[in-house]
Amino acid sequence: MQGHPCLNNYAATSVVACTMSNVSFEEAEETIPPILTIVEIKKLGVDYIEKKVRCQITVKKVDQKTNWYGNVCTTCGEEVNIVEARYKCVFCSRNIPYPDKRFRLATVCNDTTGVIVIIFPDDEIQRIIGKDAFESKTDVSFPTILKVFEKKDYLLTLKIVDRNVNNSSNIYTATEINNPLENNGNHSPTAVQTIQTVDTSAPILVETTVEVPSSPPTAKSSNKVRQREKKGNTIEVMEENVPIGKYKMIKTEKRSRIHAFVPTNVADQLETILNISDIYLFHNFTVKDLTAEDKFRLGRKQIQIQLGAETLIKKLEENEFNVIGIIEEHDPVGKIKNRNRQIQSQIKFNITDGSTSVKVTFWDDFAHMFADECKEEIVFPLILIIGSARVQLWQDEVVLSNVPATTIHINCNHCSVTEMRRMLDQRDFSERKLTQHARTCSTAYKVKDLKNLSAVYTECEVLCVVQIDKIQDAREWCHYICTSCYEKLIKVDNEDTCTTCQRFVPFPDFNFEIYAEASDDTGSIIVILEDREVRNLLQTTALELIANGTKQDTIPELFRVLEKNMYTVKLFISEKNTVQKDHCYIATDIMQGAYNKNNHSEHTSFPHPIQDMNAEVLSDSI
């Protein structure tokens, strides 16, 4: 056909399968393309011609001026040209009266390092929007459905061609479109990201053995919204018009538990294998509905699993432990941007038993739940029991964190808590900063009195009511911080470097730091407003201002709304203020308006930032 030999079948055709015992086929492992920034992609050399790379970008704009589809040959799939007012394929050497139409969407994408033009492929666009180019064509020049890609983050796989390397073309072609990498809460700079890929051209089969991966392969994700029909208590819903091998499971809620039933005939055997707090991988078990006859079940799920003699159990290396300790003072829940440019909630603190201290880090919803339970407690110091805590090494230090099975118990009625509270009378505990009731600042100092504070007030916090007269223009209003330890970064060989983590930080975060001239009727001082205080007043972040085009060396006009207003400020008194008589103070809390002593009451919730900008109440967060 078309000059090429072609095999076909007819009534007498038969197929015979032969076994070739002497021939071995070696399946080449497909290497995962590296993840590069836009600047690194533009600098690739000839070694990357016909190779693939990945980049994590944001689609800034979909170009509507260029043609959003191309006319291709119905036989070979190559783009056709117009020759003598007819579509002609140069490869097939024939006229194509009705060529096929394929998506060819030009997009302007960017990351923190630059901007790039990328062509999205036809098959990936069809997978995401669920339509082909014929179905998308409307009366208007550009279909609005193609704008779905704008303002979204994607992990793209690009194929590098020779014209990209020799700088004859700065337009790149994508071969795959995936959602950004999911974050697993690990911020180790030495961790290597990998993506498990699966061929979706055939059904996914998993062979049940003891040695299996820790998680099953997943199909490509899609942003397309599809109608789903749920029947009964099924746990799997198939998408409409999904090719063979692609499937999607219903998301289950986090930190859920399910009851596992062990029959009598295998109870003795499994009792010697299973230990509390260890992690196991189970295969070949039965899932059953929970009926009214199944009494004394601990779980609240509508289903249960039943283990049997054919069940395979493998113990995993990672262990979880139950830990008890007294909570030391800590900051409220904060927001961080991880190395995948995703926003996460995090709370960090230490727990101690009097002799040593261990770091604890809780993430996302679990961090907020922990902070809320701390606010409800009235007995201090807080004694915490962490059930099924994950133990990790981070920068040669032991860090406890949460996993889906982790639970917390604060000041619970337990003998270990009672014994720990008796140990509080020992001298070791008296020298530590343990959680206490939120401290009440009952006196507002004048500026004149602040300048005359003695060394007794070193490391203390005091209140003052001042007017912000001016935001200083001579200093930068933000600075780079490390995404792991949140310390300020310095430039080493023109790279942002964290001296604490001893590493380069390619995508640092931004924190506010502004210097304000403040005064009352007795004098003036310089108040340093750091990130949390500025965010509470302006209801924005430094990263948002930078993204909107604000330069670091230019004070944003938004800051001018802070001037000529009265504020109640909590100041940290350092040794420089008391001994060296430095009149530059660091603010640890701020609210608009004058402090009213009559309406001030002690807050037992700990810890919490300023949530209400009303001048009647001042929050004493630590």
Side-chain angles (χ1 to χ4, degrees), residues 337-581:
K337 178 168 290 188
N338 59 33
R339 62 182 179 181
N340 296 325
R341 311 298 292 169
Q342 296 174 338
I343 302 297
Q344 282 191 283
S345 299
Q346 179 196 62
I347 188 169
K348 301 174 68 175
F349 59 95
N350 288 13
I351 58 174
T352 178
D353 60 356
S355 60
T356 186
S357 181
V358 177
K359 293 183 178 181
V360 181
T361 303
F362 290 153
W363 298 92
D364 299 325
D365 294 340
F366 198 88
H368 289 283
M369 180 189 68
F370 169 77
D372 293 339
E373 293 196 12
C374 286
K375 295 178 182 179
E376 298 175 358
E377 293 297 326
I378 59 175
V379 179
F380 290 83
L382 301 178
I383 300 179
L384 172 67
I385 296 179
I386 308 176
S388 299
R390 182 183 184 185
V391 181
Q392 294 177 292
L393 279 178
W394 170 240
Q395 296 181 352
D396 297 329
E397 290 186 288
V398 176
V399 179
L400 305 179
S401 59
N402 62 291
V403 293
T406 302
T407 58
I408 55 173
H409 309 276
I410 302 177
N411 291 341
C412 66
N413 185 16
H414 191 270
C415 58
S416 299
V417 177
T418 304
E419 182 64 25
M420 185 70 71
R421 203 166 291 281
R422 290 176 183 173
M423 296 170 59
L424 288 172
D425 296 332
Q426 298 181 7
R427 184 177 179 180
D428 292 340
F429 281 100
S430 61
E431 298 176 354
R432 294 179 178 272
K433 294 182 178 180
L434 305 180
T435 52
Q436 302 293 340
H437 289 276
R439 297 194 296 268
T440 301
C441 298
S442 58
T443 303
Y445 287 80
K446 292 289 186 178
V447 170
K448 180 181 179 180
D449 299 329
L450 287 176
K451 296 180 178 180
N452 297 324
L453 291 178
S454 63
V456 179
Y457 287 86
T458 303
E459 304 294 328
C460 292
E461 294 176 334
V462 298
L463 292 178
C464 71
V465 180
V466 293
Q467 174 182 291
I468 294 182
D469 299 324
K470 182 182 179 182
I471 304 297
Q472 291 187 352
D473 299 337
R475 302 174 182 269
E476 292 184 350
W477 54 272
C478 68
H479 55 78
Y480 295 107
I481 64 167
C482 177
T483 55
S484 295
C485 65
Y486 321 118
E487 295 293 334
K488 289 184 180 180
L489 303 180
I490 62 174
K491 288 286 186 181
V492 176
D493 295 334
N494 204 27
E495 295 282 352
D496 295 312
T497 307
C498 177
T499 57
T500 303
C501 300
Q502 296 295 320
R503 71 183 182 97
F504 295 118
V505 183
F507 304 106
D509 204 351
F510 295 89
N511 269 9
F512 285 114
E513 185 179 72
I514 63 177
Y515 287 71
E517 299 176 6
S519 64
D520 62 4
D521 55 353
T522 63
S524 62
I525 57 174
I526 302 297
V527 177
I528 303 175
L529 299 177
E530 296 184 327
D531 189 67
R532 194 191 74 171
E533 289 69 39
V534 180
R535 283 192 287 109
N536 290 335
L537 292 176
L538 301 180
Q539 299 300 312
T540 187
T541 63
L543 186 61
E544 291 175 353
L545 295 182
I546 293 293
N548 292 333
T550 306
K551 298 182 179 180
Q552 289 182 252
D553 55 354
T554 303
I555 296 297
E557 290 298 323
L558 180 63
F559 290 172
R560 302 305 177 188
V561 300
L562 303 178
E563 299 177 349
K564 310 305 178 183
N565 293 323
M566 297 296 297
Y567 296 92
T568 301
V569 189
K570 183 189 291 186
L571 301 177
F572 177 77
I573 308 301
S574 65
E575 186 176 355
K576 289 185 177 181
N577 303 130
T578 57
V579 178
Q580 303 177 16
K581 299 303 179 182

Side-chain angles (χ1 to χ4, degrees), residues 577-601:
N577 303 130
T578 57
V579 178
Q580 303 177 16
K581 299 303 179 182
D582 186 357
H583 302 326
C584 187
Y585 298 84
I586 298 177
T588 59
D589 218 339
I590 188 171
M591 56 168 275
Q592 188 171 358
Y595 169 68
N596 189 343
K597 181 177 179 179
N598 295 329
N599 292 332
H600 181 76
S601 60

Side-chain angles (χ1 to χ4, degrees), residues 114-152:
V115 182
I116 192 174
V117 178
I118 300 177
I119 304 297
F120 281 13
D122 176 78
D123 55 344
E124 292 294 277
I125 296 178
Q126 288 192 44
R127 178 180 61 83
I128 294 175
I129 69 174
K131 294 182 178 180
D132 57 24
F134 280 106
E135 296 173 333
S136 303
K137 192 172 183 180
T138 59
D139 295 335
V140 297
S141 59
F142 188 85
T144 56
I145 191 174
L146 296 180
K147 295 181 181 180
V148 70
F149 297 97
E150 292 186 342
K151 311 301 181 183
K152 291 185 179 179

Side-chain angles (χ1 to χ4, degrees), residues 19-42:
T19 303
M20 302 177 65
S21 58
N22 297 328
V23 181
S24 61
F25 297 91
E26 295 183 358
E27 183 178 356
E29 295 183 0
E30 183 180 358
T31 59
I32 299 177
I35 298 180
L36 305 178
T37 62
I38 290 178
V39 170
E40 294 171 339
I41 291 175
K42 292 181 178 180

Side-chain angles (χ1 to χ4, degrees), residues 48-113:
Y48 280 86
I49 295 179
E50 299 301 325
K51 291 185 178 180
K52 295 181 179 181
V53 298
R54 294 181 297 163
C55 62
Q56 191 156 323
I57 52 85
T58 300
V59 179
K60 188 176 182 180
K61 180 182 178 182
V62 174
D63 189 4
Q64 303 181 24
K65 297 181 180 180
T66 59
N67 198 4
W68 53 273
Y69 67 90
N71 296 304
V72 300
C73 177
T74 55
T75 301
C76 64
E78 295 294 335
E79 189 168 352
V80 297
N81 300 325
I82 298 178
V83 179
E84 297 179 355
R86 294 183 179 182
Y87 290 111
K88 186 174 183 179
C89 178
V90 296
F91 292 90
C92 299
S93 299
R94 69 187 185 94
N95 294 330
I96 310 296
Y98 300 104
D100 199 358
K101 296 186 184 297
R102 303 284 176 84
F103 285 113
R104 187 181 58 188
L105 188 62
T107 62
V108 180
C109 307
N110 70 309
D111 61 6
T112 57
T113 64

